[in-house]
Amino acid sequence: MSYLDSPGGGLRSWLTSTDHKRVGVLYLILMLTLFWVGVGIGFTMRLKHLSAGNFLISAQTYNALFTVHGVIMIFMFVIPGLPAVFGNFFMPILIGSRDVAFPRINLLSWYFFAVGSVLAILSLFTGNGPPDTGWTFYVPFSIRTSTNVTLAVFAAFILGMSSILTGLNFITTIHRLRAPGMTWHRMPLFVWAIYSTAWIQILATPIIGITLVLVMIERFFNVGVFDPGKGGDPLLYQHLFWIYSHPAVYIMIVPAMGVVSEIIPTFARKSIFGYKAIAYSSLAIAAFGSLVWAHHMFTSGMSDTAGLVFSLLTFIVAVPSAIKVFNWTATLYKGSIEMAPPMLYALTFIFLFAIGGLTGVIQGALGLNVHLHDTYWIVGHFHYVMFGGTGFAFFAALLYWFPKMFGRMYNPKPMYVAWAHMFVGFNLLYFTFLVMGTMGMPRRYYAHLPQFHAAHLIATVGSWILVAGLMILFGNFVAALFKGDQAEDNPWGGLTLEWKLSSPPPAENFAEIPTITAGPYSYNPTRTG
Amino acid sequence: MPFLAQASSVSVQTDRLFLIALSICVVFLLLVTFFIIYFCIRYSRKRHPEPVDVEGHALLEVIWTVVPLALFLVMFYYGWTNFSTMRHPPPDALAVQVTARQWAWSFKYPNGKQTDQLYVALGRPVKLVTQSLDVIHGLFIPAFRVKIDVVPGKHNYVWFIPWLLGDFDIQCTVICGVSHSAMLSKVHVLPEADFKAWYFSDEAVSRLAPIIPPKGQGSAIVSLLSVKACLACHSVDGSPSVGPTLKGLFKSRQTVFVDGGERVVVADEEFLKRVILRPEDELVKGYPPIMPPSVLSKSELEEVVSYIESLGPR
């Protein structure tokens, strides 16, 4: 009996379920809902730029929209997306376990997430209107503005609790609940990625919690921690904020890299190239990624020496990402490649993430950062990483694991059509952002100067094509959910443990815990090159 | 940078670095993309049904760790030297004090001249020393490739040597509230003789049109309102803005918050002077509580109030 039916399919049995797979699906439903809210907001902002001046919405509304777009997409989709949905659903299965180490805490994490999301949405409709500071909540503006920053910040705080508990749960699970014979070097690379991510989650998230509490304290009691008039320093806030929020970028991207590392060997029918290099580069990214936060502050007036050090570390953290890209590419060499939808999306991830990473390298150079900082270049860069990277990896993961999760197979053809739309729309939109940034178009601008108008129009048209692609993609998933054929247990010919279970998996995963005797991608080749 | 004038000495250096960094990155991208596409075609399941297992290659791992690292370090080094140039102004640079506030720029010269747009001489180094009266702003002159955050409690600076005659945009780059995208100004690069003539003239404020085009008569007083940033929030032609319009304000009835309660007052001369000097004491209902205390001298205050009177009751 599959986890979907046992112990019953009623709403209550879902909301009180401690089954890691059900918790994963609960996250998926909530996050996709929030994702579409974020898409709608982004789409509206692009419509505004059909005109250079006043159009469609007011400046105050526009400022609220980019704040809420950032808060939803970052705190409620991109950061928790892959670990909370696919980490929850597949990590225990991939290591041969029946559940996570603390199933009840796992459910509690989801409730924290749900409460945080509800509070964030509430902040839009209560108090003096939605926050208008940008998702970064920079002081002193976030302390002075009369909009509903306090509730939004508190929502982010609660979401942080959820993230910490999930991280704790995953680390314990990976250490304690691996099946016999599942040594560290036999773990699938997605598990390595989740493991590295979990460490960032528990080490860095408390800092954003403390920082956000400080913002609330300042708003209520005006203590002056960040107020230069009282001996405080606004830059202290930026340091505290980015000590979490930069590593958070790696919480977003490392699991995405893990997903791609699963998909490519399956569809190339061979071992991943450089297993250890990929596994340890995840750890290296987690470690070095924690030491580069101040590259968000090169123009803030911090010391030039700090700029020197943080720029150097930024270039170093780019190396492990480059290593992964080369290893994925090399994995294709002499494979037997099937261009199924998950593979196409995973390879697209590599291309878009490479652009995101390389633009990141360019803006990591101090002198170039001075010009590019706070322009559309930055907006383009992080959409390439976050949407082109994590977003496409999320879609790839969904395409890869959907038959396993829901026991239904989707029609692959519309997925290629969706891909074509999304690929064209995405690049039209965000590559134009990069160009606009070099021309000096500042981010978070309601009105824009005439020299940027043509580019804004191109980007807006791109956003239409992109959203059309997204609709085809998700429309096809929904259709499959209701009308899809029964999925095979192993539709892609994968070797990792989830493909040895029925589709959808039974409630406790394994009737008998398997004993592992080989690495995750041993395709028993005819000969070794 | 494409589509953007190289109007300062450092811009050439920055652009050269950008071109080098971009070329390295494009080569990387093309290389990876080429191999992905080539492998996918060459080793597709149709052409290559039996995979050959390759678990890794130690030498390759070393090569693709060391080569990117070396190239990255080159980019890092030139990024640093480029930045270092920007951080070391020559001692003879003309020091202009830049004051940022919601949502206006003001520039003060060593001789006391104050403007809402920046005037500089071609080929003469200028150092802009910034201060903020409220939140963080960002001073960005794209054509000069310079940018610095304007942080309360700090005096961050930038410097440049203007290389091209003309007018270039100044934009705020740190979100600072509802009119963030209207927090614009211009830098005017003049031939040195013209700059000197302007600099030593008696003109108290800018000789060109204020950045926010005045809709109404009395250009001298409107220039004053522009320089003091009043026009960032208050219109003079009745159009709605962040704060109440000045047209028809005189003798109008306003609801204000005083000591926690509401009160209806008539905006007479006394009231206008009180609220301009100490806006937070009597906040007008329906507008955000963001007006900073007065930056007007006593005589300027008289001028402004009589100008509001001249705009008349509704």
Side-chain angles (χ1 to χ4, degrees):
Chain A
M1 201 175 196
S2 93
Y3 80 101
L4 291 169
D5 307 314
S6 163
L11 186 64
R12 198 176 143 182
S13 79
W14 275 86
L15 291 177
T16 56
S17 173
T18 54
D19 183 334
H20 66 98
K21 297 182 290 301
R22 286 195 165 194
V23 173
V25 172
L26 287 176
Y27 271 114
L28 179 67
I29 294 166
L30 197 49
M31 279 176 192
L32 286 182
T33 311
L34 291 161
F35 171 73
W36 276 99
V37 174
V39 169
I41 293 173
F43 185 77
T44 312
M45 284 192 285
R46 285 319 313 160
L47 285 183
K48 154 50 248 66
H49 285 287
L50 286 175
S51 158
N54 283 327
F55 179 65
L56 194 67
I57 49 177
S58 72
Q60 185 64 34
T61 308
Y62 183 85
N63 292 1
L65 287 184
F66 66 66
T67 304
V68 175
H69 175 80
V71 168
I72 288 182
M73 286 305 206
I74 290 180
F75 289 116
M76 297 173 219
F77 180 69
V78 187
I79 290 182
L82 286 161
V85 177
F86 300 103
N88 255 315
F89 199 109
F90 287 103
M91 184 272 287
I93 298 178
L94 287 170
I95 61 169
S97 166
R98 291 204 168 100
D99 208 320
V100 291
F102 310 111
R104 288 184 189 160
I105 290 183
N106 201 21
L107 181 65
L108 180 67
S109 308
W110 182 79
Y111 274 98
F112 273 127
F113 182 80
V115 169
S117 307
V118 169
L119 287 180
I121 302 292
L122 264 183
S123 76
L124 308 182
F125 304 106
T126 55
N128 277 325
D132 58 349
T133 59
W135 77 279
T136 46
F137 297 112
Y138 270 20
V139 299
F141 182 51
S142 62
I143 291 168
R144 281 163 164 255
T145 180
S146 60
T147 55
N148 209 351
V149 165
T150 312
L151 192 58
V153 159
F154 185 60
F157 179 82
I158 303 273
L159 291 168
M161 299 283 288
S162 163
S163 190
I164 294 169
L165 290 179
T166 301
L168 206 66
N169 215 337
F170 285 0
I171 289 175
T172 316
T173 308
I174 293 169
H175 272 276
R176 306 301 306 165
L177 296 183
R178 278 172 290 133
M182 177 62 81
T183 59
W184 286 90
H185 288 151
R186 284 181 187 160
M187 291 199 313
L189 286 164
F190 180 62
V191 179
W192 270 103
I194 289 289
Y195 181 72
S196 310
T197 308
W199 275 109
I200 315 177
Q201 283 177 299
I202 61 171
L203 291 176
T205 317
I207 301 170
I208 192 78
I210 294 163
T211 313
L212 296 176
V213 167
L214 280 172
V215 171
M216 287 191 272
I217 290 176
E218 289 301 311
R219 284 181 70 88
F220 287 129
F221 305 114
N222 209 1
V223 179
V225 180
F226 306 126
D227 179 359
K230 292 176 177 163
D233 186 352
L235 293 195
L236 175 63
Y237 172 85
Q238 297 182 17
H239 279 293
L240 289 171
F241 181 83
W242 288 114
I243 285 175
Y244 165 74
S245 296
H246 193 77
V249 171
Y250 297 103
I251 301 183
M252 306 173 206
I253 200 68
V254 170
M257 296 165 158
V259 166
V260 170
S261 306
E262 293 302 316
I263 292 176
I264 291 179
T266 301
F267 292 94
R269 289 286 188 277
K270 61 189 288 288
S271 305
I272 191 108
F273 194 94
Y275 173 92
K276 284 187 185 170
I278 294 185
Y280 291 122
S281 60
S282 287
L283 287 179
I285 290 174
F288 282 111
S290 302
L291 299 171
V292 299
W293 72 85
H295 67 209
H296 297 266
M297 299 167 60
F298 287 153
T299 65
S300 69
M302 69 174 182
S303 86
D304 295 347
T305 314
L308 178 80
V309 173
F310 280 104
S311 174
L312 179 62
L313 288 166
T314 301
F315 280 99
I316 289 175
V317 81
V319 174
S321 299
I323 292 173
K324 280 177 194 279
V325 168
F326 295 132
N327 278 296
W328 291 323
T329 309
T331 301
L332 301 171
Y333 176 65
K334 291 192 176 176
S336 176
I337 297 162
E338 182 194 353
M339 199 52 71
M343 183 65 159
L344 179 63
Y345 280 71
L347 294 176
T348 309
F349 162 93
I350 301 180
F351 178 76
L352 297 177
F353 170 72
I355 297 180
L358 292 167
T359 50
V361 163
I362 291 176
Q363 78 213 23
L366 278 163
L368 297 178
N369 185 273
V370 168
H371 180 71
L372 299 171
H373 181 65
D374 273 335
T375 66
Y376 266 53
W377 170 278
I378 303 289
V379 184
H381 154 73
F382 67 69
H383 280 90
Y384 266 99
V385 177
M386 255 128 248
F387 190 171
T390 310
F392 270 75
F394 190 94
F395 305 147
L398 206 51
L399 289 161
Y400 185 52
W401 279 320
F402 183 89
K404 178 58 61 185
M405 294 172 84
F406 301 106
R408 303 266 188 177
M409 195 58 186
Y410 51 82
N411 178 2
K413 278 193 192 114
M415 297 311 191
Y416 295 106
V417 179
W419 174 86
H421 281 79
M422 283 160 62
F423 188 75
V424 171
F426 182 96
N427 286 299
L428 207 53
L429 173 56
Y430 297 117
F431 195 81
T432 311
F433 275 22
L434 293 174
V435 176
M436 250 194 277
T438 63
M439 292 163 68
M441 171 72 211
R443 68 192 285 200
R444 295 168 173 169
Y445 259 34
Y446 170 68
H448 56 259
L449 290 171
Q451 64 264 39
F452 303 114
H453 193 57
H456 271 294
L457 291 183
I458 295 171
T460 300
V461 171
S463 77
W464 298 341
I465 304 173
L466 176 60
V467 169
L470 281 171
M471 285 174 155
I472 300 170
L473 179 74
F474 281 94
N476 197 33
F477 273 131
V478 172
L481 209 51
F482 293 104
K483 290 193 213 150
D485 297 337
Q486 169 69 38
E488 298 164 37
D489 288 351
N490 192 358
W492 315 121
L495 285 191
T496 37
L497 287 173
E498 77 272 37
W499 305 115
K500 298 189 168 56
L501 301 175
S502 57
S503 293
E508 297 254 289
N509 306 342
F510 302 98
E512 193 183 332
I513 297 291
T515 301
I516 312 302
T517 54
Y521 316 110
S522 314
Y523 276 89
N524 292 323
T526 48
R527 59 197 165 98
T528 304
Chain B
M1 305 293 162
F3 316 113
L4 195 56
Q6 295 180 325
S8 75
S9 53
V10 82
S11 63
V12 180
Q13 197 188 11
T14 304
D15 285 11
R16 195 187 307 131
L17 173 60
F18 183 70
L19 197 67
I20 293 168
L22 190 67
S23 311
I24 294 175
C25 289
V26 167
V27 169
F28 261 99
L29 183 68
L30 289 181
L31 221 67
V32 168
T33 312
F34 168 77
F35 277 110
I36 289 178
I37 294 175
Y38 173 71
F39 288 159
C40 283
I41 295 171
R42 173 68 186 79
Y43 300 112
S44 73
R45 192 147 301 168
K46 257 190 232 148
R47 282 202 182 81
H48 199 247
E50 288 298 318
V52 179
D53 211 41
V54 188
E55 287 196 340
H57 194 285
L59 182 64
L60 268 179
E61 297 287 349
V62 172
I63 290 172
W64 64 45
T65 304
V66 173
V67 172
L69 182 64
L71 289 171
F72 288 163
L73 288 179
V74 170
M75 284 158 73
F76 158 75
Y77 175 76
Y78 287 107
W80 164 249
T81 53
N82 181 218
F83 185 68
S84 192
T85 313
M86 297 181 197
R87 300 309 299 159
H88 292 96
D92 64 335
L94 177 74
V96 179
Q97 198 184 78
V98 181
T99 304
R101 50 184 276 202
Q102 288 171 317
W103 291 278
W105 298 103
S106 147
F107 304 94
K108 195 170 181 183
Y109 294 81
N111 70 353
K113 220 172 180 68
Q114 198 182 353
T115 61
D116 59 342
Q117 300 181 51
L118 183 61
Y119 295 85
V120 293
L122 185 70
R124 308 295 292 187
V126 177
K127 181 183 179 188
L128 302 178
V129 183
T130 66
Q131 61 170 356
S132 168
L133 297 183
D134 38 50
V135 300
I136 301 178
H137 301 277
L139 178 78
F140 181 28
I141 311 174
F144 292 175
R145 314 289 187 273
V146 295
K147 180 184 291 126
I148 194 74
D149 292 0
V150 182
V151 182
K154 289 176 82 84
H155 295 283
N156 293 340
Y157 63 85
V158 288
W159 79 277
F160 50 82
I161 302 172
W163 265 19
L164 288 181
L165 290 176
D167 307 334
F168 305 101
D169 292 311
I170 298 176
Q171 306 180 90
C172 178
T173 47
V174 178
I175 175 70
C176 57
V178 63
S179 298
H180 170 52
S181 69
M183 192 166 161
L184 308 171
S185 186
K186 290 256 184 205
V187 48
H188 305 281
V189 182
L190 310 175
E192 188 160 5
D194 287 12
F195 175 77
K196 277 193 174 140
W198 171 80
Y199 188 64
F200 293 109
S201 72
D202 292 333
E203 267 182 288
V205 290
S206 61
R207 67 175 184 155
L208 298 181
I211 190 70
I212 297 153
K215 293 169 187 166
Q217 62 283 76
S219 67
I221 182 71
V222 171
S223 292
L224 177 68
L225 290 174
S226 178
V227 168
K228 299 295 180 183
C230 309
L231 298 185
C233 299
H234 301 279
S235 74
V236 294
D237 62 351
S239 56
S241 186
V242 177
T245 178
L246 302 184
K247 185 178 183 180
L249 181 65
F250 187 60
K251 294 280 189 198
S252 67
R253 296 166 79 82
Q254 300 283 347
T255 310
V256 293
F257 297 106
V258 187
D259 302 328
E262 286 184 20
R263 187 185 300 164
V264 178
V265 294
V266 173
D268 56 12
E269 196 181 321
E270 282 310 300
F271 171 79
L272 289 174
K273 282 183 182 166
R274 273 203 322 272
V275 289
I276 290 171
L277 288 174
R278 299 181 61 84
E280 70 276 16
D281 288 357
E282 292 171 88
L283 291 170
V284 178
K285 192 177 176 180
Y287 297 97
I290 52 168
M291 179 158 153
S294 170
V295 285
L296 301 175
S297 71
K298 215 167 181 177
S299 64
E300 285 168 340
L301 181 65
E302 294 288 344
E303 272 184 73
V304 168
V305 170
S306 58
Y307 174 67
I308 295 173
E309 286 188 35
S310 78
L311 290 174
R314 226 172 278 265

